[in-house]
């Protein structure tokens, strides 16, 4: 029977107890120790801890465990705070210009010296440097969710997509804004399709739109008549109100004049009265059909199906019967069927990634097809969950049969693919973490490399190839061949730098490790600054924005919004980086923005960061090009030059003869000439070049002088 704590029965058991262990006293009393008050302690039996019954004992353990874990978190945060204070913090720079908007910006794009911001009911055009609004187009009933801008030289092609998934093409130049066409807008709402993704070729010759509707998905490819647009803009002809099945938006009625509208450039206006030529639909690509049993009766029918070997490797034309598929499925399900929750079925693809490729020796094209250089000729596409990268020729019409001209099969499903900004290099990243690097211009693969175990590719970003000269990242004056650098962001927020140079094989190095304890420091997005060599913008989930030098690698500086602003969604920031200029834009959200119900009073701003204006980056932005003479004088840098460049530079340097050579040749000539005979001039030989397996030997004789040298490679 248990006695309640603190009861009167327990209180009378309180007594004095002696400290330490009890011992048997000696027989003689004189040896007994004298009692001391310090040897005794008062023990109150009412203060002893009783064992709690269930479930209170379990609750007590849970509460103690909770307190212990809280204390561990407190100690960890204190230690982290001490580390933050002890380590050197990067210099933080504020934005230079703030562009205050009266509506929420949903997307941004930069092209040339203009900024295109999509928002409620349309999009706006701003000047990149002074943030002045040039024009606003608002004639939609829904918001614009994404926007693309492609440089056409002196003109810009704009492609906004609204919430309904309708894509439109606009033509913008110094004379005004022209609406070309609404790509997928129809009168019947039940037949409306949604634009999921789009891509415009370099130079604006072709455009592709990934559409979805009625349970199907396909890719529509258009040829853009940009030469006709130039003539039609120079010599405009008013449209004669044709009968259109699709209702096109009319010129926008601008909002009441405000302080922001007073800064608008009135030279730009919407030219809705001028009709431009429509894009030409050349191809409709559907996902490949699921591989099933063959319907062919003999192998000869299979070979007859594959005309000119186009599409060979896609797996569509085979001689495997249904019974063989069923047998293979039974063999697989026998040991693994118990681990499957339900019957596995192959799902149709719901997403595709596509790129416009330039002519190269690696892409086989029909002999009769000849296109201008610098214009895309092939569309490369891979569907979600597919092992194959399909190649389709762009030199066709809508009546032609849509079959791939080539197929690049991979060992695993392709997860991510990326084409460089020069359309020279292509990287295919599979789901197993293997990267395949292709040099499309030279026509051979640069190599295959695997990410560390457990890493899966999330995105790939190409860097403009740079060299480290005198401790500084610099671009070569002339472009280099078969040399590339790219940054790979993995799904675990780790960051890697992949470098490939000719046939040496690719290498991989770690830029940022995977965060283990501090998950708020994880990287959510990266963006290369092409105007500065080796510089990479890193956006963290905690709202931080930092600039990294990938060659060292280390953080150079950081950027921060004003204290009254923050990123509403730090793990998905809204930003845009310029390709031509060292600057970027970042949307800042006011703290009261989300809680406010009145959108008119909400403050939305886009902040402009110019990297040339900051002291730490001013020197890098001004001196970032290596002269070709410096590269030839430096043996380490000269190795990256082509062999022809190295031979030419060394021959030019050795053009002047050494001082001992004329005397030697005069002596030889005097010995060979007869008495009384005038000395005959030596024969003139220009550029005699002998190729050796281990070296390149060059011998050059001009007049009476000889010059010889050896170029090792």
């Amino acid at each position: 029977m248990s006695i309640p704590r603190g009861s009167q029965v327990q209180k009378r058991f309180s007594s004095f107890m002696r400290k330490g262990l009890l011992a048997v006293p000696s027989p003689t009393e004189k040896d007994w120790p004298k009692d001391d008050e310090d040897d005794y302690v008062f023990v109150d039996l009412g203060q002893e801890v009783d064992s709690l019954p269930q479930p209170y004992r379990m609750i007590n353990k849970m509460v103690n465990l909770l307190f212990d874990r809280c204390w561990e978190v407190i100690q960890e945060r204190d230690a982290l705070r001490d580390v933050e204070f002890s380590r050197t913090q990067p210099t933080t720079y504020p934005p230079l210009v703030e562009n205050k908007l009266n509506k929420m910006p949903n997307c941004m794009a930069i092209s040339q010296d203009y900024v295109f911001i999509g928002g409620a009911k349309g999009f706006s055009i701003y000047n990149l440097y002074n943030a002045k609004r040039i024009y606003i187009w608002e004639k939609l009933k829904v918001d614009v969710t994404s926007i693309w801008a492609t440089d056409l030289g002196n003109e810009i092609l704009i492609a906004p997509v609204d919430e309904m998934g309708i894509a439109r093409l606009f033509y913008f130049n110094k004379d005004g804004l022209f609406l070309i066409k609404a790509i997928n807008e129809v009168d019947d709402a039940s037949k409306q399709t949604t634009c999921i993704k789009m891509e415009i070729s370099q130079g604006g010759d072709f455009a592709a739109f990934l559409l979805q509707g009625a349970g199907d998905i396909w890719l529509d490819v258009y040829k853009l008549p940009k030469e006709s647009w130039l003539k039609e803009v120079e010599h405009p002809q008013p449209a004669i109100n044709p009968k259109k099945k699709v209702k096109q938006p009319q010129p926008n009625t601008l909002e009441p004049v405000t302080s922001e509208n007073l800064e608008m450039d009135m030279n730009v206006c919407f030219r809705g009265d001028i009709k431009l030529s429509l894009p030409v639909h050349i191809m409709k690509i559907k996902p490949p059909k699921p591989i099933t049993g063959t319907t062919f009766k003999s192998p000869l029918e299979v070979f007859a199906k594959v005309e000119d070997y186009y599409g060979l490797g896609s797996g569509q034309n085979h001689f495997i019967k249904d019974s063989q598929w069923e047998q293979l499925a039974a063999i697989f399900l026998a040991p693994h069927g118990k681990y499957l929750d339900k019957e596995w079925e192959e799902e149709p693809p719901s997403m595709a990634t596509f790129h416009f490729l330039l002519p190269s020796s690696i892409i086989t094209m029909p002999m009769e097809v000849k296109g201008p250089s610098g214009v895309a000729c092939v569309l490369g596409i891979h569907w979600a969950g597919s092992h194959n990268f399909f190649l389709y020729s762009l030199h066709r019409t809508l009546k032609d049969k849509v079959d791939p001209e080539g197929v690049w099969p991979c060992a695993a499903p392709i997860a991510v693919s990326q084409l460089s900004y020069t359309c020279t290099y292509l990287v295919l990243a599979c789901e197993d973490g293997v990267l395949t690097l292709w040099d499309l211009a030279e026509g051979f693969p640069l190599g295959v490399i695997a990410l560390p175990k457990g890493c899966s590719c999330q995105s790939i970003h190409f860097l403009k190839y740079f060299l480290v000269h005198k401790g500084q990242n610099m671009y070569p004056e002339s472009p280099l061949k078969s040399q590339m650098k790219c940054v790979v962001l993995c799904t675990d927020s780790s960051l890697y730098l992949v470098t490939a140079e000719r046939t040496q094989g690719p290498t991989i190095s770690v830029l940022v490790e995977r965060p283990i304890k501090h998950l708020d420091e994880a990287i959510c997005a990266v963006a290369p600054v092409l105007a500065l060599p080796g510089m990479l913008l890193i956006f963290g989930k905690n709202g931080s924005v930092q600039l990294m030098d990938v060659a060292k690698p280390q953080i150079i500086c950081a950027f921060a919004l004003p204290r009254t602003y923050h990123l509403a969604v730090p793990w998905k920031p809204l930003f845009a980086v310029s390709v031509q200029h060292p600057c970027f834009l970042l949307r800042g959200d006011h703290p009261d923005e989300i809680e406010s119900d009145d959108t008119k009073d909400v403050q939305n701003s886009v902040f402009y960061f110019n990297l040339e204006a900051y002291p730490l980056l001013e020197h890098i932005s001004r001196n970032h090009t290596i002269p070709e003479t410096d590269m030839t004088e430096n043996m380490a840098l000269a190795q990256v030059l082509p062999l022809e460049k190295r031979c030419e530079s060394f021959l030019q340097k050795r053009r002047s003869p050494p001082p001992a050579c004329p005397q030697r040749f005069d002596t030889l000539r005097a010995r060979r000439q007869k008495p009384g005979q005038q000395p005959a001039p030596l024969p003139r030989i220009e550029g005699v070049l002998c190729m050796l397996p281990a070296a390149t030997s060059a011998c050059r004789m001009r007049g009476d002088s000889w010059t010889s040298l050896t170029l090792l490679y």
Side-chain angles (χ1 to χ4, degrees):
M1 179 178 179
S2 61
I3 303 175
R5 292 180 54 190
S7 63
Q8 297 296 330
V9 180
Q10 267 194 333
K11 287 182 179 180
R12 64 181 181 179
F13 289 103
S14 302
S15 61
F16 287 92
M17 299 185 65
R18 190 168 182 170
K19 295 181 179 179
L21 298 177
L22 297 178
V24 179
S26 61
T28 58
E29 186 176 357
K30 62 179 180 180
D31 296 333
W32 291 359
K34 295 182 180 181
D35 296 337
D36 191 358
E37 293 182 358
D38 296 338
D39 294 339
Y40 293 87
V41 63
F42 180 78
V43 177
D44 187 1
L45 300 180
Q47 298 294 331
E48 294 182 355
V49 179
D50 298 335
S51 60
L52 297 174
Q54 291 289 4
Y56 303 105
R57 189 163 61 249
M58 182 185 66
I59 297 175
N60 183 50
K61 291 182 179 180
M62 295 296 296
V63 173
N64 292 335
L65 180 62
L66 179 62
F67 277 107
D68 293 341
R69 290 186 176 180
C70 291
W71 184 249
E72 292 177 0
V73 173
I74 293 173
Q75 290 180 335
E76 183 181 350
R77 290 184 178 180
D78 290 342
L80 179 61
R81 189 178 303 171
D82 295 340
V83 172
E84 290 290 337
F85 287 141
S86 61
R87 70 181 182 181
T88 304
Q89 297 291 336
T91 305
T92 303
Y93 293 113
L96 296 181
V97 180
E98 178 183 359
N99 185 9
K100 293 186 177 181
L101 307 177
N102 55 1
K103 294 182 180 180
M104 171 74 74
N106 297 326
C107 51
M108 292 187 297
I110 300 178
S111 182
Q112 297 182 9
D113 298 335
Y114 302 98
V115 181
F116 305 91
I117 300 178
K121 299 182 180 181
F123 63 92
S124 305
I125 306 175
Y126 292 84
N127 186 283
L128 178 61
Y129 302 104
N130 54 22
K132 290 185 178 181
R133 190 167 68 181
I134 299 175
Y135 191 76
I136 179 173
W137 188 87
E138 292 182 349
K139 194 58 181 177
L140 303 177
K141 297 181 180 180
V142 293
D143 297 348
V144 172
T145 56
S146 58
I147 190 169
W148 286 264
T150 303
D151 188 3
L152 302 181
N154 296 327
E155 299 79 21
I156 299 176
L157 187 63
I158 311 170
V161 179
D162 58 23
E163 290 180 333
M164 300 298 294
I166 300 176
R168 295 175 174 84
L169 287 179
F170 289 86
Y171 187 80
F172 175 71
N173 64 356
K174 61 181 181 179
D175 297 329
L177 181 68
F178 304 85
L179 175 62
I180 300 174
K181 181 183 179 182
I183 298 298
N184 57 329
E185 187 178 16
V186 295
D187 293 333
D188 191 356
S190 61
K191 299 180 180 179
Q192 181 64 55
T193 59
T194 303
C195 180
I196 305 176
K197 192 177 181 181
M198 67 162 296
E199 190 76 26
I200 301 176
S201 66
Q202 184 181 16
D205 296 283
F206 297 91
F209 303 87
L210 185 63
L211 304 178
Q212 185 179 20
D216 296 331
I217 185 172
W218 66 92
L219 185 69
D220 280 344
V221 184
Y222 291 84
K223 185 176 182 180
L224 306 180
K226 62 177 187 178
E227 291 80 7
S228 301
W229 295 341
L230 288 173
K231 298 179 182 179
E232 293 167 355
V233 170
E234 293 177 359
H235 307 284
Q237 296 181 0
I240 312 176
N241 195 17
K243 295 181 180 180
K244 299 181 181 180
K245 296 182 180 180
V246 179
K247 185 178 180 181
Q248 303 286 358
Q250 298 299 322
N252 173 43
T253 303
L254 297 179
E255 58 186 11
V257 177
T258 61
S259 59
E260 188 177 10
N261 292 334
L262 293 176
E263 298 179 350
M264 292 176 57
D265 188 356
M266 301 307 296
N267 294 329
V268 176
C269 60
F270 184 80
R271 305 296 299 272
D273 56 336
I274 298 177
K275 179 184 177 182
L276 301 183
S277 300
L278 299 179
V280 181
H281 189 197
I282 61 174
M283 186 167 38
K284 182 178 182 180
I285 304 175
K286 294 184 178 181
K289 299 179 181 179
I291 299 178
T292 58
T294 182
T295 57
F296 301 111
K297 297 180 180 180
S298 65
L300 296 178
E301 296 182 6
V302 180
F303 290 107
K305 182 69 175 179
V306 183
E307 299 177 359
D308 299 329
Y309 297 98
Y310 289 157
L312 187 63
S314 62
Q316 297 294 328
N317 302 319
H318 58 84
F319 199 62
I320 303 176
K321 299 181 180 180
D322 289 330
S323 58
Q324 293 175 308
W325 287 116
E326 295 175 359
Q327 185 179 2
L328 292 175
I331 295 174
F332 174 79
L333 293 176
H336 306 291
K338 58 183 178 180
Y339 301 104
L340 300 177
D341 297 335
K342 58 182 180 179
E343 185 179 357
W344 179 82
E345 294 182 0
E346 184 177 358
E347 297 181 357
S350 59
M351 183 55 67
T353 305
F354 41 94
H355 311 281
F356 289 98
L357 309 180
L358 298 180
S360 64
S361 57
I362 201 172
I363 301 173
T364 58
M365 296 297 298
M367 297 298 297
E368 63 273 7
V369 175
K370 293 183 180 180
S373 60
V375 178
C377 65
V378 170
L379 177 69
I381 179 174
H382 68 88
W383 300 88
S386 175
H387 294 66
N388 300 325
F389 187 77
F390 297 94
L391 301 175
Y392 294 87
S393 174
L394 296 174
H395 298 280
R396 67 175 77 221
T397 62
L398 192 60
K399 297 180 180 180
D400 297 336
K401 188 177 181 180
V402 181
D403 286 330
E405 273 70 21
V407 180
W408 294 354
C410 297
I414 303 175
V416 181
S417 65
Q418 186 63 41
L419 184 69
S420 63
Y421 66 97
T422 57
C423 301
T424 308
Y425 306 102
L426 176 68
V427 177
L428 301 178
C430 297
E431 294 181 357
D432 56 358
V434 176
L435 306 180
T436 305
L437 315 178
W438 290 91
D439 186 353
L440 301 179
E442 297 297 325
F444 65 89
L446 291 174
V448 178
I449 194 169
L451 296 173
K453 186 177 180 180
C455 294
S456 180
C457 180
Q458 177 180 340
S459 61
I460 303 172
H461 308 269
F462 276 92
L463 299 173
K464 189 177 179 181
Y465 192 84
F466 65 93
L467 300 171
V468 180
H469 181 54
K470 297 180 181 180
Q472 183 178 350
N473 302 340
M474 304 185 76
Y475 288 136
E477 187 176 7
S478 58
L480 304 178
K481 297 180 180 180
S482 302
Q483 302 189 31
M484 55 149 288
K485 292 185 179 182
C486 66
V487 174
V488 180
L489 178 62
C490 298
T491 54
D492 59 355
S493 297
S494 59
L495 194 64
Y496 298 91
L497 175 65
V498 178
T499 305
E501 298 180 1
R502 293 192 179 93
T503 57
Q504 296 181 5
T507 59
I508 187 170
S509 59
V510 182
L511 297 178
V512 179
E513 295 282 355
R514 177 177 65 92
I516 299 177
K517 292 185 178 181
H518 313 295
L519 299 180
D520 58 338
E521 297 181 356
I523 301 176
C524 61
V526 297
V529 183
L530 299 180
L532 298 180
M535 297 299 165
L536 183 71
L537 283 173
I538 298 178
F539 298 85
K541 291 186 178 180
N542 55 0
S544 63
V545 182
Q546 298 176 333
L547 184 67
M548 170 182 279
D549 184 357
V550 299
K552 294 184 179 179
Q554 67 179 13
I555 300 298
I556 301 298
C557 61
F559 307 97
L561 299 176
R563 293 185 177 181
T564 56
Y565 289 87
H566 72 289
L567 299 179
V569 188
W571 57 90
K572 194 176 180 181
L574 179 60
F575 64 93
V577 183
S578 176
V579 178
Q580 296 89 357
H581 311 288
C583 63
F584 71 97
L585 302 176
L586 181 63
R587 189 188 77 177
D589 304 302
H590 199 270
D592 301 332
E593 179 178 319
I594 301 177
E595 300 177 358
S596 177
D597 296 334
D598 190 4
T599 57
K600 296 182 180 180
D601 299 334
V602 172
Q603 298 181 7
N604 301 282
S605 297
V606 174
F607 295 94
Y608 171 74
F609 295 86
N610 185 6
L611 305 184
E612 292 180 329
Y614 302 123
L616 288 178
L617 306 175
E618 185 178 1
H619 178 67
I620 300 176
S621 61
R622 292 181 179 179
N623 305 317
H624 62 269
T625 304
I626 308 178
E628 191 171 343
T629 55
D630 294 349
M631 294 187 63
T632 56
E633 293 176 358
N634 192 328
M635 293 299 298
L637 299 180
Q639 297 300 322
V640 302
L641 292 174
L643 182 60
E644 297 83 359
K645 286 282 186 182
R646 283 183 277 170
C647 294
E648 181 181 355
S649 62
F650 277 102
L651 288 173
Q652 290 178 354
K653 287 197 305 182
R654 303 293 182 178
R655 183 171 296 176
S656 58
C661 288
Q663 299 177 2
R664 182 182 305 173
F665 285 113
D666 290 342
T667 303
L668 294 174
R669 186 168 52 178
R671 291 178 180 176
R672 298 182 63 179
Q673 91 178 40
K674 298 179 180 180
Q677 182 181 1
Q678 295 293 333
L682 292 176
R684 182 181 299 270
I685 303 175
E686 295 290 342
V688 179
L689 191 64
C690 303
M691 305 299 296
L692 300 179
T696 300
S697 179
C699 179
R700 185 181 182 90
M701 182 177 69
R702 180 181 295 274
D704 296 340
S705 64
W706 284 82
T707 301
S708 63
L709 55 101
T710 300
L711 307 180
L712 297 178
Y713 65 93

